[in-house]
Amino acid sequence: MKTTCPILAKSALEGNLSLLEHTRHVVLAMALFAKRSGLNIDPEIARKGAVLHDLGKAHPHFQRKIYHQKSTSLRDNLEWDFIHRHEISSLAFLPCFPASEWDILTDLVIAHHKSIINDPGEKGILDLTRFRDTLDNHLKDWEEWYIHGLEIIRHFGYSVKDIPREEAKAALEYVVSHCDKKKNGVSLLRGLLKSADHFASAFTHNTQQQLGSLFEIPDLTYYHSEKRKSSIYPLSLLPSDNTRKHTFVVAPTGAGKTDFLLRRCSRRVFYLLPFQASINAMWERIKENVPNKDVRLLHATSRIVVKDNNDEQILQPLVGAAVKVLTPHQLAAVLFGIKGHESILLDLQETDIILDEIHTYSDFSMAMVLDLVKTLVRLNCNVHIGTATMPTTLYKKLSEILGGTDNIYEVKLPAPVLDTFDRHIIDKIAHEDQINGILAEAFAKGEKVLLVFNTIRKAQSTFKQLLDDFPDIPKMLIHSRFKRADRVELERKLKKEFNGDASGNGSPGIRPCLVVSTQVVEVSLDISFDRMITECAPLDSLIQRFGRINRIRNEQTLGKYKPIHVISPGNNPLPYKQEILKASFDQLPEHFGLLKENSLQEKLDTVYPDIDTKEIDIHLIYRNDRYIIKELTDNKKSILIDALKIEGATCILESDRDTYINADWETRQQFEIPIRYQTIMRYKKQYEQLEVGSYPFVIPQQVEAYNMYGLQLTEHDNFL
């Protein structure tokens, strides 16, 4: 490596950014992050950590790699054939700083890319020191390149000194000893530097400009406006300035829960919802009404939803948003110790957390949410829970975690007000053979019908049959197994073209029409149809589904009822439990009986006398009031996937294979179809799996069939 070449921190693909420039950007970010982090850290030491963190990139091994310099001989190849971690080489510059600061500087720097031990690629410092020559390799040609590190330290106003190789090696030996002695816990210092480094790497020369909108308290004036008050939305008339720390609101869909929960917030806001369909809709609603620049969406499709604003795309996973809309799974790293958990912990501290429709989780996910609430309480967050339905046992458990009535502002609507939310009449039907007759009658009346199934396969097969049975009726199919970009467009089409009800209020949309769906329509998707036919599901899920019918609430719609037909549970209850489906079905009225809102709590408590959760303690990094993970380390992401049974794999169509291979990371996301890891593993020998991007499985489905039905696999029934 010729010394005349600039010392780079980023490759040509990342802008050929010099090490000095990148360090400047991280120092800028660190100044703000250290101030806002709530950590008791001397800002000057934090700044030194930022200066120090990447100096090891001046090592010739890193520079050879970044300049794509190839070995010219076998001897040359053998000479440079070792694993080099720049953060280890960076700490060879510790002798330029007081020895009393070394421990803090080490915690800031050493693990900002890799876990110190048990790294999946065995590249952490304690993984590498198993090899005899590790420290010598990280100081290879020290006398030739360490001057570049000294120049950067001097640039930021710190005095420097000559560091003989032996003194540099002694510093690295100190770092190894320090890391070896690490006890259980989490290092928020690591999270601090990671946050600053990621932010600076994302925005490079625009770092200072982008920092200006970070850590703002959101302007929620819109939700406090007198114009938002109306007897139609009874929660809008209730005061939100109660001094108790946490909030519990139980009220039907359309009562004004979202406004009320946001009015309870006075800090930065994390708004948590369970499903992707609801995430998009809520982000759009909040972004329209909150003037802060930094209102973010965070889930797998966020880069597509905000594709016209590059800054917004980059911001999504970073810290410091005024408002961030996401799912609890995006925060699960803090429970399981997944990579980045320290940064998330820092970001969450002393914020307002809204948990909307918390009841929708079950088994492992419900256990995760309960432990997440415990963590939020430890982080001094204000927790605001809103739901239309919640079993008393779950309510009591959450109340206990939040500290009881002395700490919780509890809001429930009185029975006379609940009566005004009665809007559904229920018809129990014995078999799905009755669906076509109901649809024919509804279409003759010009109605918009929502047909909901519990599994993707059932929704797909029924939609295929209905294409033949009702060829002239506009219809669409929506579920989770569409390409990420297509899924966003389907949600927009559903809301803009098919939405509206027969009352004439709101957008009338296409009429008559049919939408076939799975559970993706259940939570917070702002659509209103005239009639529903649905497979039986757990009662709390059914109540959420019902909320998509006769949703518009105004003087003209009050006291008017719309029909919902619930199919009796058959012999295949998947993905639910047979006993829960039977108990739920038994609680419903029949013969078009009115479903009373003020009867729902009693019905829920009958179906759910106990909380149905699974034990996840074995996966948690904090239990029995102490951390059981070693500082500066991470757990593998597979823990999260295994525990929560979430979508952990992706597929692409065979027709997109070549385009995907040659596309950049952002474009690749548009072709990806999320799928549960456990599902696709049954076919891992049947389908090709690429070794680029997210390592998707290649599915040889015809494009025409995909466009009509979404991804199709021969598989066991799966929901969502």
Side-chain angles (χ1 to χ4, degrees):
M1 190 69 238
K2 294 181 179 180
T3 56
T4 55
C5 295
I7 302 298
L8 297 183
K10 305 290 182 181
S11 68
L13 291 175
E14 298 173 293
N16 274 330
L17 196 67
S18 75
L19 180 54
L20 176 59
E21 282 300 299
H22 173 63
T23 306
R24 283 175 178 161
H25 303 154
V26 177
V27 168
L28 284 171
M30 180 62 93
L32 177 65
F33 287 21
K35 179 180 178 182
R36 300 297 181 90
S37 68
L39 291 177
N40 184 23
I41 181 173
D42 183 339
E44 188 59 30
I45 297 180
R47 185 173 186 266
K48 290 176 182 177
V51 171
L52 181 65
H53 85 289
D54 268 359
L55 296 185
K57 288 184 174 180
H59 190 294
H61 190 288
F62 187 90
Q63 292 300 304
R64 285 169 61 92
K65 187 174 182 180
I66 210 165
Y67 276 101
H68 304 289
Q69 182 177 344
K70 298 184 182 300
S71 296
T72 56
S73 66
L74 179 60
R75 180 178 178 180
D76 190 42
N77 185 59
L78 290 173
E79 181 181 357
W80 294 100
D81 184 21
F82 58 86
I83 295 173
H84 173 257
R85 290 309 311 165
H86 67 268
E87 55 268 38
I88 299 176
S89 292
S90 296
L91 289 167
F93 293 90
L94 280 174
C96 285
F97 304 101
S100 60
E101 298 174 353
W102 284 18
D103 289 358
I104 295 177
L105 291 174
T106 298
D107 283 2
L108 285 166
V109 173
I110 192 58
H112 74 274
H113 283 295
K114 303 289 182 183
S115 177
I116 59 171
I117 196 168
N118 297 328
D119 173 72
E122 296 192 329
K123 294 179 181 179
I125 185 171
L126 298 184
D127 299 306
L128 292 176
T129 49
R130 294 182 293 117
F131 303 105
R132 185 183 61 185
D133 298 327
T134 290
L135 297 187
D136 288 329
N137 288 336
H138 280 80
L139 296 174
K140 181 174 171 55
D141 296 343
W142 170 253
E143 291 79 8
E144 296 180 17
W145 64 269
Y146 92 99
I147 57 174
H148 302 296
L150 295 184
E151 288 172 359
I152 290 175
I153 295 173
R154 187 185 294 114
H155 173 86
F156 288 97
Y158 301 110
S159 60
V160 298
K161 52 171 282 188
D162 289 336
I163 308 175
R165 173 189 292 270
E166 289 308 311
E167 189 174 355
K169 187 172 182 180
L172 293 186
E173 288 172 344
Y174 179 88
V175 171
V176 174
S177 175
H178 174 77
C179 292
D180 252 336
K181 295 174 183 175
K182 278 295 179 185
K183 294 181 169 47
N184 288 349
V186 297
S187 173
L188 296 183
L189 293 173
R190 182 193 188 196
L192 181 63
L193 184 61
K194 283 169 71 82
S195 298
D197 188 27
H198 289 173
F199 195 92
S201 296
F203 287 106
T204 61
H205 296 294
N206 292 325
T207 297
Q208 186 164 18
Q209 176 185 349
Q210 292 294 331
L211 287 170
S213 60
L214 284 191
F215 297 101
E216 289 181 347
I217 303 300
D219 180 356
L220 302 176
T221 304
Y222 171 84
Y223 301 100
H224 292 269
S225 169
E226 289 294 318
K227 295 179 181 179
R228 299 293 292 172
K229 293 183 179 181
S230 169
S231 59
I232 294 293
Y233 308 106
L235 289 177
S236 70
L237 303 179
L238 297 180
S240 59
D241 56 354
N242 189 282
T243 58
R244 279 170 282 191
K245 186 175 182 64
H246 308 301
T247 312
F248 224 133
V249 181
V250 181
T253 299
K257 283 197 301 295
T258 298
D259 277 32
F260 187 83
L261 291 169
L262 285 166
R263 284 194 287 127
R264 286 284 290 157
C265 297
S266 58
R267 304 167 168 181
R268 292 192 299 119
V269 176
F270 284 73
Y271 201 117
L272 276 61
L273 284 157
F275 300 137
Q276 287 189 13
S278 56
I279 296 296
N280 294 343
M282 185 58 68
W283 174 73
E284 289 175 351
R285 287 169 61 185
I286 294 177
K287 191 168 180 64
E288 182 179 353
N289 300 313
V290 175
N292 298 73
K293 175 184 176 182
D294 202 354
V295 177
R296 302 185 207 166
L297 171 73
L298 183 62
H299 64 53
T301 64
S302 62
R303 291 184 180 87
I304 296 160
V305 175
V306 298
K307 62 185 177 182
D308 295 328
N309 187 325
N310 190 55
D311 285 348
E312 287 186 4
Q313 293 174 36
I314 297 170
L315 271 169
Q316 306 316 318
L318 303 176
V319 305
V323 180
K324 185 177 283 188
V325 185
L326 68 167
T327 72
H329 296 95
Q330 255 79 46
L331 302 181
V334 303
L335 302 178
F336 301 105
I338 309 303
K339 186 175 181 179
H341 62 281
E342 301 100 332
S343 297
I344 300 174
L345 284 169
L346 275 178
D347 201 22
L348 285 170
Q349 285 186 126
E350 299 189 349
T351 56
D352 277 297
I353 312 292
I354 294 175
L355 285 161
D356 202 347
E357 301 304 347
I358 196 172
H359 75 284
T360 58
Y361 307 97
S362 60
D363 296 332
F364 290 105
S365 288
M366 175 53 73
M368 180 203 74
V369 171
L370 290 173
D371 273 290
L372 178 59
V373 175
K374 294 176 185 176
T375 299
L376 296 173
V377 171
R378 289 204 317 273
L379 295 174
N380 195 28
C381 296
N382 300 331
V383 180
H384 312 293
I385 298 172
T387 183
T389 56
M390 182 173 292
T392 297
T393 50
L394 177 57
Y395 191 99
K396 288 180 177 178
K397 181 63 176 176
L398 286 163
S399 179
E400 178 185 343
I401 294 171
L402 295 176
T405 56
D406 289 343
N407 291 322
I408 305 171
Y409 181 26
E410 299 181 80
V411 177
K412 294 182 179 180
L413 299 181
V417 177
L418 283 176
D419 288 341
T420 69
F421 284 86
D422 295 341
R423 49 191 157 179
H424 302 130
I425 50 177
I426 309 300
D427 175 35
K428 292 181 178 178
I429 60 178
H431 197 271
E432 62 190 49
D433 287 349
Q434 298 173 250
I435 289 176
N436 277 28
I438 296 169
L439 289 176
E441 178 185 348
F443 296 151
K445 296 178 180 179
E447 292 181 351
K448 305 165 79 68
V449 183
L450 187 58
L451 178 55
V452 186
F453 292 99
N454 296 338
T455 67
I456 294 172
R457 190 170 69 175
K458 185 64 177 177
Q460 289 171 327
S461 62
T462 304
F463 185 77
K464 182 177 182 179
Q465 183 61 49
L466 292 173
L467 288 173
D468 295 330
D469 295 342
F470 298 96
D472 298 327
I473 299 296
K475 56 183 71 68
M476 69 175 290
L477 172 67
I478 183 169
H479 53 73
S480 65
R481 288 196 194 155
F482 284 92
K483 299 176 191 178
R484 298 190 196 280
D486 293 344
R487 170 66 181 277
V488 171
E489 292 306 313
L490 283 171
E491 291 172 16
R492 287 176 173 162
K493 182 178 180 181
L494 173 61
K495 289 184 288 185
K496 293 182 178 180
E497 296 182 25
F498 284 76
N499 192 21
D501 67 9
S503 67
N505 295 283
S507 172
I510 303 170
R511 183 173 303 285
C513 67
L514 172 66
V515 172
V516 180
S517 176
T518 59
Q519 294 93 319
V520 296
V521 298
E522 280 183 13
V523 180
S524 294
L525 193 61
D526 195 9
I527 58 174
S528 184
F529 278 55
D530 304 309
R531 185 185 297 258
M532 175 180 287
I533 308 171
T534 177
E535 283 192 295
C536 187
L539 183 60
D540 51 328
S541 294
L542 285 176
I543 293 168
Q544 292 300 316
R545 291 183 196 185
F546 297 171
R548 308 314 115 189
I549 303 300
N550 199 16
R551 182 179 177 87
I552 295 175
R553 181 174 169 83
N554 55 35
E555 296 292 346
Q556 289 72 43
T557 60
L558 289 180
K560 295 183 179 178
Y561 311 123
K562 296 290 180 71
I564 293 173
H565 311 269
V566 183
I567 304 168
S568 177
N571 295 324
N572 184 5
L574 292 174
Y576 304 115
K577 297 178 180 178
Q578 184 73 48
E579 60 270 24
I580 294 295
L581 295 187
K582 184 179 185 306
S584 298
F585 193 74
D586 289 345
Q587 288 300 310
L588 296 173
E590 53 189 332
H591 306 306
F592 296 101
L594 182 63
L595 181 64
K596 298 286 293 179
E597 286 286 338
N598 61 22
S599 72
L600 294 183
Q601 191 63 58
E602 181 180 353
K603 294 179 183 297
L604 281 168
D605 292 340
T606 300
V607 175
Y608 297 107
D610 300 303
I611 304 175
D612 183 21
T613 61
K614 298 290 186 183
E615 290 298 325
I616 61 171
D617 282 2
I618 191 173
H619 300 292
L620 297 175
I621 63 171
Y622 189 90
R623 16 188 228 263
N624 299 322
D625 299 322
R626 63 187 181 90
Y627 281 103
I628 51 87
I629 189 175
K630 190 172 183 178
E631 278 190 49
L632 304 177
T633 65
D634 306 317
N635 285 326
K636 295 179 180 178
K637 190 175 182 179
S638 59
I639 290 177
L640 176 65
I641 295 169
D642 292 343
L644 302 182
K645 314 298 183 187
I646 61 174
E647 292 170 342
T650 57
C651 298
I652 62 170
L653 299 183
E654 190 173 58
S655 58
D656 294 328
R657 180 184 182 277
D658 292 343
T659 304
Y660 185 92
I661 289 174
N662 295 307
D664 58 31
W665 65 272
E666 186 178 333
T667 304
R668 284 172 177 164
Q669 290 222 358
Q670 301 187 43
F671 298 108
E672 293 172 354
I673 304 168
I675 191 169
R676 283 182 60 192
Y677 182 79
Q678 288 82 358
T679 297
I680 197 64
M681 279 300 97
R682 302 179 199 135
Y683 305 98
K684 63 181 180 180
K685 294 182 179 179
Q686 179 177 340
Y687 301 129
E688 176 190 11
Q689 186 177 15
L690 300 183
E691 295 187 2
V692 297
S694 63
Y695 293 72
F697 291 87
V698 181
I699 311 299
Q701 183 181 5
Q702 295 296 313
V703 174
E704 294 78 9
Y706 163 79
N707 289 338
M708 189 70 71
Y709 306 113
L711 183 71
Q712 291 177 301
L713 297 173
T714 304
E715 61 169 299
H716 197 57
D717 270 343
N718 184 41
F719 72 109
L720 284 188

